[in-house]
Amino acid sequence: MRELDRAAWPIAALLVGYPLWWALGFGGLSVVLLAPPMALVLWRRRPIRAPRGFGLWLLLLAGYLISGLMLGEMPPDTYGDFGAGRVIGYLMRLSLYVSMLIMVLYLGNLTERELPQLTLVRMLGALFITTVAGGLLGVLAPNADFTSPVELLLPHWISDNAYVHNLIHPTSAQVQKVLGHASPRPEAPFEWANAWGSNVSVLLVWFTVGWWAYGGPRRRAAVVPLLGLAAVPIVYSLNRGLWIGLGVAVLYLLLRLGARARIVTCAAVAAGTLVFLLSPLRTMVVQRLDNPHSNDIRAFTVSATVAAARTSPIIGYGNTRNATGNHRTITTGRTGWCDACGHPPLGSDGQLWHLMITQGFVGASLYVAFFAGAIRRYRRDRSPIGMAGVLVMILTLLYMFVYDGLVTPLSLYLISFALLWRNSMASGTA
């Protein structure tokens, strides 16, 4: 890291310095602050290269700009007043989309000398270690939180907005009654427990590449105990989507690795499974599978989201909306006498549904086409980075049904895409 070229420091500040951003209250918004220096690097080395298929992302961004025209409109069976909160949410998401576009172009236009691929992979590995530490904090001190400097500086009418508050107020975990009693779901150093689940799985992929596939004896020796520590918050997260994603990752490796590597993978999975079955963590998984309390909530919000998207299928509504009633009652929102009547906003149960309500079916289709196209183009890359990148693209399409991409997960998806793009340029197949 000491020899890293000056032009590559913005990405090092983003990934390695992420705990500091989180503590300051910027967290996932740090990419917005680092986008200007990335843009300056790009401006100085025009013409700018762009990856194949990037036109789809530009269309997605253009569609989001157009969807802003619908911020004041309300689909049927929804409620809420057009106000500052809706505009703030729209502008924050727009700034994130633009910043991530700049980030991808920035990564693809740095040379291998300026930012070696392995260095970028190990930066992601460093963030994995940070994520595991944050997850353990959430398990051991689930009520830990503090007021960030950003939160102190913002006016209350902004910082009290629920969406903004989640982004700028550092907390270690979300304490929820998923199992019928209060239990912590780790979220540090990210914005939500589901974001932690998505991010830890993506970062686990790159940690394994950097520390095992390209690691020396010391790094390889550290992999097993680090993965053992990671298993604790992964189970405590009660994140079924994360668990399914890890299963998909194992299946993917068994299909793509060579015979010797398959044997090693099977042995590792068998050993890990045995240790898990003999540990107290097994009980939590069984309890979670026996308490699918969120299924009805998700079914309601997804069906209501699709119904709302049908009324503006081309450009959506620019931001999320609240549905009238929920899966239990026709009561609108949470009240003093019905604290269970609240429900998540439409489009909050996965990036696919978020795109449907904000950008219509067209926006959702562009998102799917972009990542599916990356799988098609780079699937023949059998290097560790190539196979890992394609796996992350597969996880991206899987998680879009259950996890929001914004804020931090989408940054990691697109950094993984940039790694694939850089790999193809190095091999001359771009």
Side-chain angles (χ1 to χ4, degrees):
M1 291 291 291
R2 289 193 299 268
E3 300 176 358
L4 195 67
D5 191 275
R6 183 173 60 182
W9 274 104
I11 198 67
L14 176 65
L15 297 176
V16 181
Y18 190 85
L20 178 59
W21 293 114
W22 176 70
L24 289 174
F26 288 106
L29 300 176
S30 54
V31 68
V32 177
L33 298 181
L34 292 167
M38 294 182 193
L40 182 60
V41 171
L42 288 170
W43 181 260
R44 289 176 173 174
R45 57 183 63 194
R46 293 166 294 165
I48 300 170
R49 290 178 301 203
R52 290 172 57 195
F54 208 59
L56 292 171
W57 197 261
L58 293 176
L59 288 173
L60 184 68
L61 179 58
Y64 194 60
L65 284 169
I66 297 171
S67 73
L69 298 173
M70 298 292 287
L71 285 174
E73 302 298 323
M74 295 297 295
D77 300 320
T78 63
Y79 71 94
D81 297 324
F82 175 62
R86 192 178 298 171
V87 176
I88 290 171
Y90 172 82
L91 292 177
M92 288 180 69
R93 292 183 179 100
L94 177 61
S95 65
L96 284 163
Y97 280 133
V98 173
S99 299
M100 291 175 192
L101 179 147
I102 292 171
M103 179 187 68
V104 171
L105 295 176
Y106 158 82
L107 287 172
N109 282 269
L110 291 178
T111 66
E112 179 68 13
R113 181 190 62 80
E114 291 171 320
L115 179 59
Q117 285 280 76
L118 184 54
T119 300
L120 178 53
V121 168
R122 285 184 174 160
M123 287 180 188
L124 292 166
L127 185 53
F128 171 75
I129 295 173
T130 297
T131 303
V132 172
L136 291 172
L137 175 66
V139 172
L140 299 174
N143 296 313
D145 71 318
F146 58 92
T147 302
S148 70
V150 170
E151 192 175 356
L152 289 172
L153 292 173
L154 285 176
H156 288 298
W157 66 273
I158 295 179
S159 61
D160 288 345
N161 177 275
Y163 179 72
V164 175
H165 186 77
N166 273 325
L167 297 180
I168 64 175
H169 184 78
T171 54
S172 63
Q174 289 179 278
V175 180
Q176 300 175 336
K177 295 184 178 180
V178 176
L179 303 179
H181 57 82
S183 56
R185 300 184 63 207
E187 65 178 10
F190 304 113
E191 56 272 13
W192 295 285
N194 281 347
W196 189 93
S198 172
N199 292 345
V200 75
S201 62
V202 171
L203 293 169
L204 172 59
V205 171
W206 294 116
F207 168 76
T208 306
V209 171
W211 284 56
W212 185 267
Y214 291 114
R218 283 187 175 183
R219 289 184 186 272
R220 287 192 170 191
V223 168
V224 173
L226 283 170
L227 292 183
L229 285 174
V232 176
I234 284 174
V235 171
Y236 268 86
S237 72
L238 304 177
N239 242 315
R240 291 173 298 174
L242 164 60
W243 301 344
I244 293 171
L246 293 177
V248 169
V250 170
L251 179 61
Y252 171 86
L253 291 175
L254 293 177
L255 291 174
R256 296 213 63 184
L257 292 175
R260 182 177 299 179
R262 287 181 188 175
I263 294 173
V264 173
T265 301
C266 287
V269 171
T273 303
L274 180 61
V275 171
F276 166 75
L277 291 175
L278 296 175
S279 75
L281 297 177
R282 173 182 172 275
T283 303
M284 290 198 68
V285 173
V286 172
Q287 289 178 340
R288 178 65 179 102
L289 297 178
D290 288 340
N291 289 274
H293 87 295
S294 63
N295 289 0
D296 291 340
I297 299 173
R298 284 185 177 273
F300 171 81
T301 54
V302 168
S303 62
T305 298
V306 173
R310 286 175 180 160
T311 62
S312 181
I314 308 299
I315 62 174
Y317 287 94
N319 204 338
T320 58
R321 298 292 191 275
N322 289 309
T324 302
N326 65 17
H327 67 291
R328 291 177 176 171
T329 174
I330 60 172
T331 300
T332 300
R334 185 178 286 110
T335 66
W337 57 271
C338 184
D339 61 0
C341 292
H343 53 79
L346 300 184
S348 62
D349 286 316
Q351 186 65 14
L352 181 67
W353 321 117
H354 174 79
L355 288 165
M356 282 188 185
I357 189 69
T358 58
Q359 293 182 249
F361 296 112
V362 172
S365 299
L366 288 170
Y367 181 88
V368 172
F370 177 78
F371 288 106
I375 295 172
R376 179 182 59 81
R377 280 190 299 276
Y378 302 122
R379 69 186 185 279
R380 294 186 179 87
D381 186 346
R382 299 193 65 82
S383 68
I385 290 177
M387 288 195 291
V390 170
L391 171 57
V392 174
M393 298 298 98
I394 293 172
L395 292 177
T396 301
L397 294 179
L398 169 67
Y399 288 156
M400 70 181 181
F401 292 100
V402 292
Y403 295 147
D404 291 342
L406 295 174
V407 182
T408 49
L410 192 54
S411 291
L412 297 180
Y413 301 158
L414 289 173
I415 291 173
S416 303
F417 172 83
L419 277 161
L420 283 171
W421 174 30
R422 287 165 57 94
N423 232 34
S424 68
M425 288 190 289
S427 64
T429 59

